[in-house]
Amino acid sequence: MRVNLINAVLYGVNLSDADLRGGNLSGANLPSADMRGADMRGVNLRGANLLGANLSGANLREADMLGVNLRGANLRGAKLDEKTQIDDKWRLVWEVVNQGAAGRDLRGADLSDADLSRVNLSDTDLSDTDLRGADLSDTDLRGADLSDANLSGADLSFADLSGADLIGANLRGANLLGAELDEKTQIDDKWQLVWEIVNQGAAGRDLSGADLGGAYLSRVNLSGADLRKANLTWADLVNANLNGANLGGADLLKADLLEADLIEADLRGANLRETDLILADLSRANLHGANLRGADLSFANLSGTNPSGADLRGAQYNGKTKWPNGYNPQKAGCVFVED
């Protein structure tokens, strides 16, 4: 007799090694179900909730799994075939878990909320990949080998990286907000520091000379921080709080400072060439000797500053840019652009 569990609600149910062949479990709510080794050939699971379920070793050949919630589900050793109907995202997760992905090109893939614990992802191109976790099911990368992987631009927010190997990984522009590291996580010193800043803040911290080039520091509190001569080239500082920070001699080449708070920041001798300062608040900042050539100052607030000591040649501004009274940006070589 075929099992009928249509729309059933069975939290944590034990169905390990069960014979569910040809059964109907469509729409069933089965979070954290134990389905290890279950025979589920030809089963209808369409639209079921298998959040955090253990499907290791389950036989899912010819099963209909379209629309199934597999967030945090263990697919290790599960058996799928060409007749198994499953969303592309979860088939990819299944492939990565069971076949590994060392050296594979997974650019831009959606691997969010997946159980990728202990998977070999060394030297894999994961640039711009979605590896986000969520409140109920973090992307599980515990013990994963991510050594020398390209994680540039990847979203690792709230991913569990406990015990993971990230040595040599490229984390340029990667979002580490809420990512979980522990004493067994192996990560280069630069990115360990970035993780600390993102998750613990750095208000008033001494970061002079720090290498933060390419770091994702959006919305981070760096107020009053000592960032003298720090490397912040290409850093994402969108909406960052740099109020009163000392950025003297810092290199911010092509950094993104959209809507950043730079009120009373010390920018003496800083390299802000080709930076995005749209909507940034630079009021009362010290710009003496700062290089702002080619920067975008559209909608920026420079009231209370003394731009005459800065190099503004080629900097863009618009009708909403606020300058000190009497200051003529065109004489300084700035370029007016339409709002």
Side-chain angles (χ1 to χ4, degrees):
M1 183 175 178
R2 294 182 178 180
V3 173
N4 186 343
L5 292 173
I6 299 175
N7 298 322
V9 179
L10 296 167
Y11 291 84
V13 64
N14 185 355
L15 294 170
S16 58
D17 297 316
D19 185 351
L20 302 171
R21 285 176 295 175
N24 193 343
L25 284 77
S26 59
N29 195 3
L30 303 168
S32 301
D34 185 351
M35 304 174 108
R36 289 174 295 172
D39 189 343
M40 303 171 73
R41 285 174 289 176
V43 72
N44 181 2
L45 282 159
R46 187 173 289 229
N49 178 15
L50 294 177
L51 171 70
N54 191 344
L55 290 157
S56 59
N59 189 342
L60 291 159
R61 295 185 177 99
E62 300 185 34
D64 184 349
M65 301 179 70
L66 293 175
V68 173
N69 179 5
L70 288 165
R71 290 167 52 197
N74 184 353
L75 295 171
R76 194 165 278 103
K79 301 174 181 66
L80 276 63
D81 63 10
E82 68 281 356
K83 293 185 178 179
T84 302
Q85 300 179 65
I86 188 170
D87 298 335
D88 292 343
K89 168 182 176 171
W90 297 114
R91 184 173 284 278
L92 175 60
V93 169
W94 175 79
E95 289 176 5
V96 171
V97 168
N98 290 285
Q99 300 166 13
R104 184 170 173 177
D105 185 347
L106 294 174
R107 286 176 291 178
D110 181 3
L111 299 173
S112 58
D113 301 315
D115 182 350
L116 302 172
S117 56
R118 302 181 301 283
V119 169
N120 185 358
L121 292 161
S122 60
D123 200 35
T124 302
D125 190 346
L126 292 159
S127 53
D128 299 316
T129 298
D130 187 349
L131 289 158
R132 288 175 296 171
D135 291 340
L136 295 176
S137 61
D138 296 345
T139 300
D140 192 344
L141 286 159
R142 289 176 295 172
D145 185 353
L146 289 155
S147 58
D148 296 316
N150 182 4
L151 288 158
S152 59
D155 192 344
L156 286 155
S157 55
F158 301 99
D160 191 343
L161 292 159
S162 303
D165 184 354
L166 290 146
I167 296 298
N170 178 4
L171 288 160
R172 182 188 180 100
N175 186 355
L176 294 170
L177 179 65
E180 186 174 347
L181 276 61
D182 65 6
E183 67 281 355
K184 293 184 179 179
T185 303
Q186 301 177 66
I187 188 169
D188 296 334
D189 291 344
K190 170 179 177 173
W191 301 115
Q192 175 76 38
L193 176 59
V194 170
W195 176 83
E196 290 176 8
I197 294 170
V198 168
N199 290 286
Q200 300 166 12
R205 182 167 175 175
D206 184 356
L207 295 168
S208 54
D211 180 9
L212 301 171
Y216 183 86
L217 301 170
S218 180
R219 295 177 292 279
V220 168
N221 185 4
L222 289 158
S223 59
D226 185 351
L227 288 156
R228 287 174 296 172
K229 296 186 178 180
N231 176 17
L232 288 158
T233 56
W234 294 91
D236 186 334
L237 289 155
V238 173
N239 285 120
N241 183 357
L242 289 154
N243 191 310
N246 189 343
L247 290 151
D251 192 351
L252 291 133
L253 175 70
K254 295 189 177 181
D256 192 346
L257 288 151
L258 174 71
E259 294 190 84
D261 180 352
L262 288 154
I263 297 171
E264 297 184 344
D266 188 344
L267 293 161
R268 286 177 293 177
N271 181 15
L272 292 153
R273 189 166 182 171
E274 298 181 50
T275 55
D276 183 350
L277 287 158
I278 296 173
L279 290 166
D281 194 343
L282 292 139
S283 55
R284 301 186 301 282
N286 189 337
L287 297 174
H288 183 74
N291 183 352
L292 287 152
R293 295 179 67 174
D296 194 339
L297 294 163
S298 302
F299 303 97
N301 181 9
L302 288 92
S303 58
T305 66
N306 182 8
S308 59
D311 186 350
L312 287 156
R313 286 173 291 176
Q316 299 179 45
Y317 73 102
N318 63 4
K320 299 294 177 63
T321 303
K322 294 180 181 178
W323 300 99
N325 291 334
Y327 183 76
N328 188 336
Q330 290 189 335
K331 284 188 176 180
C334 295
V335 178
F336 180 81
V337 294
E338 297 293 335
D339 296 349

